[in-house]
Amino acid sequence: MSSNSEVRWLDPRERAAWVRLAAVVELLPGVLESQLRRDADLSHFEYWVLSMLSEAPSHTLRMTALATRTNATLPRLSHVVQRLGGRGLVGRFPCPEDRRATNVRLTDEGWTKVVDAAPGHLMAVRHNVVDALTPDQLGQLAGIADAILERIDPGAAAEAWNRETSQSDG
Amino acid sequence: MSSNSEVRWLDPRERAAWVRLAAVVELLPGVLESQLRRDADLSHFEYWVLSMLSEAPSHTLRMTALATRTNATLPRLSHVVQRLGGRGLVGRFPCPEDRRATNVRLTDEGWTKVVDAAPGHLMAVRHNVVDALTPDQLGQLAGIADAILERIDPGAAAEAWNRETSQSDG
DNA sequence: GTATATTGGTTGTTGCTACAACTATGAATC
DNA sequence: GATTCATAGTTGTAGCAACAACCAATATAC
């Protein structure tokens, strides 16, 4: 089915980079996950959801907007928001302007939750990633991750970049 | 519970790097996963397992060794190997030297499977990662990922490095 | 030689995600 | 204004992973 002779295998440099990235991608989520689970009873994705809401005007976002900001599919987000709603951390109500849409808003309890969880999570991110790198490496990482994102999700990469450079658009 | 004033928040540079890495970590597995699932009916982890076996002497490895090489826990590996065994891709038999241990060996069918799946997977890795980066970035990535691995799993990082530099030890 | 601890692995339970099917609203076409 | 298509989101099902409990075999202590 496949003729090996035509395949460009990875040379040692390429292989070294790929094996290490694969290990990071495999292990890093688990590390952050267990810190949050232990200290705040939150999954990393749940934290990200609450965090994005906490940065939004009125602590409110539409499902679709929240989905793109969290790199999630809509079904996945829907389930997670349902669970968070059951715990009283967010509220859901139909959008008055477009009645297909639903708005998600952080409750007071949810706000408290993020504020309490943030320092610990930040410490974990610092310890395992940010503070492990030199300033040069930090800049390199942004460029590298950007290049990869451009391949795996061209639209989202560009959109996220826009959001970041103009924080206050609708 | 937490006094915000003492927390060192991420500055824009740090935040940019972290947000992008988080997105990569969130999205990359799914991309590779669906390519393998579609083309070879294999999860990325299953592929990794078969691949590690294919590189081992006699296509055989003990569970614990296979677990460290795939960054997996033993329970997870056990389930996966059971499924792969059910599909006839690997065989399990007790280790004669230590009867607590079990050896896993790639079957002929399993070997064929990896060989057929490898080119497509390699193309995906090239397209989404390796070929997206400049030679400089490739070197930087290895260093960055290494630094992160050193934090999130010190022992394994060192061990993997040893394996890589001396391919033929027992 | 027996008791205890450690190592190597398996099995069961629970929770989350992916995928697919479905409902409802809005927009577009005729 | 009825029909068709697209958009926004929910719900149900199946499969995988994490965690904990468990069993078996080996090493160690006495």
mmCIF file of all heavy atoms in Angstrom, chain D residues 13-27:
data_model
loop_
_atom_site.group_PDB
_atom_site.id
_atom_site.type_symbol
_atom_site.label_atom_id
_atom_site.label_comp_id
_atom_site.label_asym_id
_atom_site.label_seq_id
_atom_site.Cartn_x
_atom_site.Cartn_y
_atom_site.Cartn_z
ATOM 1 P P DT D 13 -29.882 7.380 24.441
ATOM 2 O OP1 DT D 13 -30.906 6.430 23.997
ATOM 3 O OP2 DT D 13 -29.644 7.629 25.889
ATOM 4 O "O5'" DT D 13 -28.504 6.982 23.769
ATOM 5 C "C5'" DT D 13 -28.361 7.077 22.347
ATOM 6 C "C4'" DT D 13 -26.938 6.739 21.942
ATOM 7 O "O4'" DT D 13 -26.093 7.895 22.121
ATOM 8 C "C3'" DT D 13 -26.302 5.605 22.757
ATOM 9 O "O3'" DT D 13 -25.636 4.733 21.858
ATOM 10 C "C2'" DT D 13 -25.323 6.339 23.672
ATOM 11 C "C1'" DT D 13 -24.915 7.513 22.794
ATOM 12 N N1 DT D 13 -24.417 8.699 23.524
ATOM 13 C C2 DT D 13 -23.284 9.329 23.061
ATOM 14 O O2 DT D 13 -22.662 8.952 22.083
ATOM 15 N N3 DT D 13 -22.914 10.428 23.782
ATOM 16 C C4 DT D 13 -23.529 10.955 24.906
ATOM 17 O O4 DT D 13 -23.090 11.946 25.472
ATOM 18 C C5 DT D 13 -24.702 10.234 25.336
ATOM 19 C C7 DT D 13 -25.461 10.718 26.535
ATOM 20 C C6 DT D 13 -25.091 9.158 24.629
ATOM 21 P P DA D 14 -25.093 3.315 22.383
ATOM 22 O OP1 DA D 14 -25.734 2.283 21.561
ATOM 23 O OP2 DA D 14 -25.173 3.268 23.848
ATOM 24 O "O5'" DA D 14 -23.555 3.390 21.986
ATOM 25 C "C5'" DA D 14 -23.161 4.084 20.787
ATOM 26 C "C4'" DA D 14 -21.677 4.370 20.838
ATOM 27 O "O4'" DA D 14 -21.442 5.590 21.587
ATOM 28 C "C3'" DA D 14 -20.850 3.274 21.530
ATOM 29 O "O3'" DA D 14 -19.658 3.080 20.794
ATOM 30 C "C2'" DA D 14 -20.607 3.842 22.922
ATOM 31 C "C1'" DA D 14 -20.514 5.335 22.624
ATOM 32 N N9 DA D 14 -20.868 6.201 23.753
ATOM 33 C C8 DA D 14 -21.883 6.033 24.641
ATOM 34 N N7 DA D 14 -21.956 6.986 25.545
ATOM 35 C C5 DA D 14 -20.913 7.837 25.215
ATOM 36 C C6 DA D 14 -20.458 9.029 25.786
ATOM 37 N N6 DA D 14 -21.003 9.604 26.859
ATOM 38 N N1 DA D 14 -19.383 9.631 25.213
ATOM 39 C C2 DA D 14 -18.825 9.048 24.141
ATOM 40 N N3 DA D 14 -19.168 7.928 23.517
ATOM 41 C C4 DA D 14 -20.236 7.359 24.115
ATOM 42 P P DG D 15 -18.644 1.914 21.154
ATOM 43 O OP1 DG D 15 -18.356 1.165 19.907
ATOM 44 O OP2 DG D 15 -19.129 1.221 22.363
ATOM 45 O "O5'" DG D 15 -17.329 2.718 21.542
ATOM 46 C "C5'" DG D 15 -16.907 3.799 20.717
ATOM 47 C "C4'" DG D 15 -15.804 4.549 21.431
ATOM 48 O "O4'" DG D 15 -16.385 5.386 22.476
ATOM 49 C "C3'" DG D 15 -14.800 3.636 22.135
ATOM 50 O "O3'" DG D 15 -13.490 4.146 21.910
ATOM 51 C "C2'" DG D 15 -15.197 3.728 23.601
ATOM 52 C "C1'" DG D 15 -15.707 5.159 23.687
ATOM 53 N N9 DG D 15 -16.650 5.411 24.776
ATOM 54 C C8 DG D 15 -17.692 4.618 25.184
ATOM 55 N N7 DG D 15 -18.366 5.125 26.183
ATOM 56 C C5 DG D 15 -17.728 6.328 26.448
ATOM 57 C C6 DG D 15 -18.003 7.317 27.430
ATOM 58 O O6 DG D 15 -18.899 7.325 28.278
ATOM 59 N N1 DG D 15 -17.111 8.378 27.350
ATOM 60 C C2 DG D 15 -16.079 8.468 26.443
ATOM 61 N N2 DG D 15 -15.320 9.557 26.512
ATOM 62 N N3 DG D 15 -15.818 7.549 25.523
ATOM 63 C C4 DG D 15 -16.672 6.513 25.589
ATOM 64 P P DC D 16 -12.216 3.261 22.295
ATOM 65 O OP1 DC D 16 -11.472 3.047 21.041
ATOM 66 O OP2 DC D 16 -12.649 2.128 23.119
ATOM 67 O "O5'" DC D 16 -11.388 4.244 23.208
ATOM 68 C "C5'" DC D 16 -11.197 5.599 22.790
ATOM 69 C "C4'" DC D 16 -10.843 6.442 24.000
ATOM 70 O "O4'" DC D 16 -12.003 6.587 24.840
ATOM 71 C "C3'" DC D 16 -9.744 5.825 24.854
ATOM 72 O "O3'" DC D 16 -8.685 6.759 24.979
ATOM 73 C "C2'" DC D 16 -10.428 5.520 26.187
ATOM 74 C "C1'" DC D 16 -11.624 6.456 26.188
ATOM 75 N N1 DC D 16 -12.823 5.950 26.909
ATOM 76 C C2 DC D 16 -13.342 6.701 27.968
ATOM 77 O O2 DC D 16 -12.803 7.761 28.278
ATOM 78 N N3 DC D 16 -14.434 6.230 28.612
ATOM 79 C C4 DC D 16 -14.995 5.090 28.247
ATOM 80 N N4 DC D 16 -16.074 4.673 28.917
ATOM 81 C C5 DC D 16 -14.481 4.307 27.176
ATOM 82 C C6 DC D 16 -13.392 4.768 26.535
ATOM 83 P P DA D 17 -7.415 6.366 25.877
ATOM 84 O OP1 DA D 17 -6.244 6.984 25.249
ATOM 85 O OP2 DA D 17 -7.458 4.912 26.156
ATOM 86 O "O5'" DA D 17 -7.719 7.140 27.224
ATOM 87 C "C5'" DA D 17 -7.941 8.552 27.169
ATOM 88 C "C4'" DA D 17 -7.960 9.128 28.568
ATOM 89 O "O4'" DA D 17 -9.196 8.732 29.216
ATOM 90 C "C3'" DA D 17 -6.829 8.644 29.474
ATOM 91 O "O3'" DA D 17 -6.407 9.730 30.284
ATOM 92 C "C2'" DA D 17 -7.465 7.532 30.278
ATOM 93 C "C1'" DA D 17 -8.921 7.968 30.372
ATOM 94 N N9 DA D 17 -9.876 6.862 30.373
ATOM 95 C C8 DA D 17 -9.861 5.748 29.584
ATOM 96 N N7 DA D 17 -10.852 4.932 29.798
ATOM 97 C C5 DA D 17 -11.591 5.556 30.795
ATOM 98 C C6 DA D 17 -12.766 5.203 31.463
ATOM 99 N N6 DA D 17 -13.452 4.083 31.222
ATOM 100 N N1 DA D 17 -13.229 6.054 32.409
ATOM 101 C C2 DA D 17 -12.543 7.185 32.652
ATOM 102 N N3 DA D 17 -11.423 7.622 32.084
ATOM 103 C C4 DA D 17 -10.995 6.753 31.150
ATOM 104 P P DA D 18 -5.302 9.516 31.415
ATOM 105 O OP1 DA D 18 -4.401 10.683 31.344
ATOM 106 O OP2 DA D 18 -4.781 8.132 31.324
ATOM 107 O "O5'" DA D 18 -6.153 9.643 32.765
ATOM 108 C "C5'" DA D 18 -6.957 10.802 32.971
ATOM 109 C "C4'" DA D 18 -7.530 10.776 34.375
ATOM 110 O "O4'" DA D 18 -8.577 9.780 34.444
ATOM 111 C "C3'" DA D 18 -6.519 10.418 35.462
ATOM 112 O "O3'" DA D 18 -6.821 11.185 36.633
ATOM 113 C "C2'" DA D 18 -6.755 8.932 35.686
ATOM 114 C "C1'" DA D 18 -8.243 8.766 35.373
ATOM 115 N N9 DA D 18 -8.594 7.484 34.746
ATOM 116 C C8 DA D 18 -7.926 6.861 33.738
ATOM 117 N N7 DA D 18 -8.475 5.730 33.357
ATOM 118 C C5 DA D 18 -9.592 5.616 34.168
ATOM 119 C C6 DA D 18 -10.598 4.637 34.265
ATOM 120 N N6 DA D 18 -10.645 3.542 33.505
ATOM 121 N N1 DA D 18 -11.565 4.824 35.183
ATOM 122 C C2 DA D 18 -11.522 5.923 35.950
ATOM 123 N N3 DA D 18 -10.631 6.917 35.949
ATOM 124 C C4 DA D 18 -9.677 6.692 35.026
ATOM 125 P P DC D 19 -5.833 11.155 37.883
ATOM 126 O OP1 DC D 19 -5.831 12.514 38.449
ATOM 127 O OP2 DC D 19 -4.579 10.495 37.474
ATOM 128 O "O5'" DC D 19 -6.568 10.194 38.915
ATOM 129 C "C5'" DC D 19 -7.948 10.397 39.189
ATOM 130 C "C4'" DC D 19 -8.478 9.228 39.995
ATOM 131 O "O4'" DC D 19 -8.789 8.142 39.109
ATOM 132 C "C3'" DC D 19 -7.493 8.685 41.027
ATOM 133 O "O3'" DC D 19 -8.074 8.817 42.319
ATOM 134 C "C2'" DC D 19 -7.268 7.234 40.613
ATOM 135 C "C1'" DC D 19 -8.481 6.928 39.746
ATOM 136 N N1 DC D 19 -8.273 5.916 38.686
ATOM 137 C C2 DC D 19 -9.228 4.899 38.519
ATOM 138 O O2 DC D 19 -10.214 4.883 39.256
ATOM 139 N N3 DC D 19 -9.050 3.983 37.535
ATOM 140 C C4 DC D 19 -7.976 4.043 36.749
ATOM 141 N N4 DC D 19 -7.845 3.127 35.797
ATOM 142 C C5 DC D 19 -6.981 5.062 36.911
ATOM 143 C C6 DC D 19 -7.172 5.974 37.882
ATOM 144 P P DA D 20 -7.265 8.321 43.631
ATOM 145 O OP1 DA D 20 -7.496 9.309 44.690
ATOM 146 O OP2 DA D 20 -5.897 7.963 43.230
ATOM 147 O "O5'" DA D 20 -8.044 6.982 44.002
ATOM 148 C "C5'" DA D 20 -9.419 6.872 43.690
ATOM 149 C "C4'" DA D 20 -9.888 5.448 43.928
ATOM 150 O "O4'" DA D 20 -9.654 4.647 42.741
ATOM 151 C "C3'" DA D 20 -9.159 4.742 45.072
ATOM 152 O "O3'" DA D 20 -10.083 3.956 45.787
ATOM 153 C "C2'" DA D 20 -8.120 3.897 44.341
ATOM 154 C "C1'" DA D 20 -8.882 3.515 43.082
ATOM 155 N N9 DA D 20 -8.040 3.192 41.931
ATOM 156 C C8 DA D 20 -6.898 3.829 41.531
ATOM 157 N N7 DA D 20 -6.363 3.308 40.451
ATOM 158 C C5 DA D 20 -7.210 2.266 40.123
ATOM 159 C C6 DA D 20 -7.197 1.324 39.082
ATOM 160 N N6 DA D 20 -6.248 1.297 38.138
ATOM 161 N N1 DA D 20 -8.205 0.418 39.040
ATOM 162 C C2 DA D 20 -9.148 0.463 39.989
ATOM 163 N N3 DA D 20 -9.266 1.291 41.020
ATOM 164 C C4 DA D 20 -8.249 2.186 41.022
ATOM 165 P P DA D 21 -9.727 3.317 47.187
ATOM 166 O OP1 DA D 21 -10.749 3.769 48.145
ATOM 167 O OP2 DA D 21 -8.294 3.549 47.440
ATOM 168 O "O5'" DA D 21 -9.939 1.761 46.924
ATOM 169 C "C5'" DA D 21 -11.127 1.333 46.256
ATOM 170 C "C4'" DA D 21 -10.888 -0.059 45.686
ATOM 171 O "O4'" DA D 21 -10.011 0.035 44.546
ATOM 172 C "C3'" DA D 21 -10.225 -1.029 46.668
ATOM 173 O "O3'" DA D 21 -11.021 -2.195 46.770
ATOM 174 C "C2'" DA D 21 -8.851 -1.294 46.062
ATOM 175 C "C1'" DA D 21 -9.115 -1.051 44.576
ATOM 176 N N9 DA D 21 -7.934 -0.689 43.797
ATOM 177 C C8 DA D 21 -7.020 0.288 44.083
ATOM 178 N N7 DA D 21 -6.056 0.387 43.200
ATOM 179 C C5 DA D 21 -6.360 -0.587 42.267
ATOM 180 C C6 DA D 21 -5.727 -0.991 41.075
ATOM 181 N N6 DA D 21 -4.609 -0.430 40.608
ATOM 182 N N1 DA D 21 -6.287 -1.993 40.377
ATOM 183 C C2 DA D 21 -7.415 -2.560 40.840
ATOM 184 N N3 DA D 21 -8.097 -2.264 41.940
ATOM 185 C C4 DA D 21 -7.512 -1.255 42.622
ATOM 186 P P DC D 22 -10.663 -3.351 47.773
ATOM 187 O OP1 DC D 22 -11.931 -3.999 48.161
ATOM 188 O OP2 DC D 22 -9.732 -2.806 48.776
ATOM 189 O "O5'" DC D 22 -9.854 -4.379 46.851
ATOM 190 C "C5'" DC D 22 -10.465 -4.873 45.657
ATOM 191 C "C4'" DC D 22 -9.428 -5.517 44.783
ATOM 192 O "O4'" DC D 22 -8.489 -4.529 44.350
ATOM 193 C "C3'" DC D 22 -8.571 -6.589 45.462
ATOM 194 O "O3'" DC D 22 -9.131 -7.864 45.203
ATOM 195 C "C2'" DC D 22 -7.202 -6.436 44.804
ATOM 196 C "C1'" DC D 22 -7.348 -5.233 43.878
ATOM 197 N N1 DC D 22 -6.171 -4.326 43.858
ATOM 198 C C2 DC D 22 -5.267 -4.410 42.805
ATOM 199 O O2 DC D 22 -5.447 -5.248 41.914
ATOM 200 N N3 DC D 22 -4.198 -3.583 42.800
ATOM 201 C C4 DC D 22 -4.023 -2.694 43.776
ATOM 202 N N4 DC D 22 -2.957 -1.894 43.716
ATOM 203 C C5 DC D 22 -4.947 -2.583 44.851
ATOM 204 C C6 DC D 22 -5.993 -3.412 44.865
ATOM 205 P P DC D 23 -8.576 -9.138 46.013
ATOM 206 O OP1 DC D 23 -9.672 -10.111 46.088
ATOM 207 O OP2 DC D 23 -7.898 -8.644 47.236
ATOM 208 O "O5'" DC D 23 -7.447 -9.728 45.051
ATOM 209 C "C5'" DC D 23 -7.788 -10.108 43.714
ATOM 210 C "C4'" DC D 23 -6.516 -10.475 42.970
ATOM 211 O "O4'" DC D 23 -5.696 -9.295 42.820
ATOM 212 C "C3'" DC D 23 -5.644 -11.527 43.664
ATOM 213 O "O3'" DC D 23 -5.313 -12.538 42.727
ATOM 214 C "C2'" DC D 23 -4.417 -10.747 44.124
ATOM 215 C "C1'" DC D 23 -4.348 -9.640 43.072
ATOM 216 N N1 DC D 23 -3.642 -8.401 43.502
ATOM 217 C C2 DC D 23 -2.581 -7.911 42.746
ATOM 218 O O2 DC D 23 -2.237 -8.525 41.726
ATOM 219 N N3 DC D 23 -1.950 -6.781 43.139
ATOM 220 C C4 DC D 23 -2.352 -6.143 44.238
ATOM 221 N N4 DC D 23 -1.701 -5.032 44.586
ATOM 222 C C5 DC D 23 -3.435 -6.618 45.026
ATOM 223 C C6 DC D 23 -4.046 -7.743 44.633
ATOM 224 P P DA D 24 -4.543 -13.842 43.186
ATOM 225 O OP1 DA D 24 -5.140 -14.979 42.459
ATOM 226 O OP2 DA D 24 -4.471 -13.840 44.670
ATOM 227 O "O5'" DA D 24 -3.072 -13.619 42.640
ATOM 228 C "C5'" DA D 24 -2.880 -13.438 41.244
ATOM 229 C "C4'" DA D 24 -1.414 -13.162 40.970
ATOM 230 O "O4'" DA D 24 -1.079 -11.850 41.488
ATOM 231 C "C3'" DA D 24 -0.454 -14.148 41.637
ATOM 232 O "O3'" DA D 24 0.490 -14.552 40.669
ATOM 233 C "C2'" DA D 24 0.166 -13.351 42.771
ATOM 234 C "C1'" DA D 24 0.129 -11.927 42.207
ATOM 235 N N9 DA D 24 0.082 -10.855 43.183
ATOM 236 C C8 DA D 24 -0.794 -10.697 44.223
ATOM 237 N N7 DA D 24 -0.594 -9.597 44.923
ATOM 238 C C5 DA D 24 0.487 -8.993 44.295
ATOM 239 C C6 DA D 24 1.191 -7.804 44.551
ATOM 240 N N6 DA D 24 0.891 -6.971 45.545
ATOM 241 N N1 DA D 24 2.210 -7.494 43.727
ATOM 242 C C2 DA D 24 2.509 -8.338 42.721
ATOM 243 N N3 DA D 24 1.925 -9.482 42.379
ATOM 244 C C4 DA D 24 0.910 -9.753 43.222
ATOM 245 P P DA D 25 1.530 -15.743 40.929
ATOM 246 O OP1 DA D 25 1.634 -16.520 39.679
ATOM 247 O OP2 DA D 25 1.146 -16.385 42.206
ATOM 248 O "O5'" DA D 25 2.895 -14.971 41.150
ATOM 249 C "C5'" DA D 25 3.437 -14.247 40.050
ATOM 250 C "C4'" DA D 25 4.587 -13.403 40.546
ATOM 251 O "O4'" DA D 25 4.092 -12.472 41.521
ATOM 252 C "C3'" DA D 25 5.707 -14.198 41.232
ATOM 253 O "O3'" DA D 25 6.929 -13.805 40.638
ATOM 254 C "C2'" DA D 25 5.608 -13.780 42.700
ATOM 255 C "C1'" DA D 25 5.030 -12.373 42.572
ATOM 256 N N9 DA D 25 4.306 -11.865 43.730
ATOM 257 C C8 DA D 25 3.253 -12.448 44.380
ATOM 258 N N7 DA D 25 2.786 -11.736 45.380
ATOM 259 C C5 DA D 25 3.594 -10.604 45.388
ATOM 260 C C6 DA D 25 3.615 -9.470 46.202
ATOM 261 N N6 DA D 25 2.770 -9.270 47.228
ATOM 262 N N1 DA D 25 4.547 -8.521 45.930
ATOM 263 C C2 DA D 25 5.391 -8.716 44.913
ATOM 264 N N3 DA D 25 5.466 -9.754 44.075
ATOM 265 C C4 DA D 25 4.525 -10.664 44.370
ATOM 266 P P DT D 26 8.258 -14.662 40.863
ATOM 267 O OP1 DT D 26 8.907 -14.820 39.556
ATOM 268 O OP2 DT D 26 7.919 -15.829 41.694
ATOM 269 O "O5'" DT D 26 9.146 -13.676 41.732
ATOM 270 C "C5'" DT D 26 9.492 -12.407 41.178
ATOM 271 C "C4'" DT D 26 9.869 -11.447 42.286
ATOM 272 O "O4'" DT D 26 8.804 -11.303 43.232
ATOM 273 C "C3'" DT D 26 11.098 -11.862 43.093
ATOM 274 O "O3'" DT D 26 12.105 -10.905 42.855
ATOM 275 C "C2'" DT D 26 10.612 -11.842 44.545
ATOM 276 C "C1'" DT D 26 9.395 -10.931 44.444
ATOM 277 N N1 DT D 26 8.369 -11.071 45.506
ATOM 278 C C2 DT D 26 8.207 -10.061 46.414
ATOM 279 O O2 DT D 26 8.877 -9.047 46.405
ATOM 280 N N3 DT D 26 7.220 -10.271 47.351
ATOM 281 C C4 DT D 26 6.399 -11.378 47.458
ATOM 282 O O4 DT D 26 5.549 -11.455 48.333
ATOM 283 C C5 DT D 26 6.613 -12.410 46.483
ATOM 284 C C7 DT D 26 5.775 -13.645 46.507
ATOM 285 C C6 DT D 26 7.578 -12.213 45.553
ATOM 286 P P DA D 27 13.630 -11.162 43.238
ATOM 287 O OP1 DA D 27 14.466 -10.560 42.180
ATOM 288 O OP2 DA D 27 13.781 -12.569 43.611
ATOM 289 O "O5'" DA D 27 13.782 -10.275 44.550
ATOM 290 C "C5'" DA D 27 13.706 -8.860 44.443
ATOM 291 C "C4'" DA D 27 13.444 -8.269 45.799
ATOM 292 O "O4'" DA D 27 12.269 -8.873 46.366
ATOM 293 C "C3'" DA D 27 14.571 -8.477 46.818
ATOM 294 O "O3'" DA D 27 14.953 -7.205 47.302
ATOM 295 C "C2'" DA D 27 13.931 -9.340 47.906
ATOM 296 C "C1'" DA D 27 12.466 -8.977 47.766
ATOM 297 N N9 DA D 27 11.508 -9.971 48.243
ATOM 298 C C8 DA D 27 11.283 -11.213 47.740
ATOM 299 N N7 DA D 27 10.337 -11.885 48.370
ATOM 300 C C5 DA D 27 9.915 -11.006 49.349
ATOM 301 C C6 DA D 27 8.939 -11.108 50.361
ATOM 302 N N6 DA D 27 8.181 -12.198 50.528
ATOM 303 N N1 DA D 27 8.761 -10.043 51.180
ATOM 304 C C2 DA D 27 9.530 -8.953 51.003
ATOM 305 N N3 DA D 27 10.477 -8.736 50.090
ATOM 306 C C4 DA D 27 10.620 -9.816 49.289
#
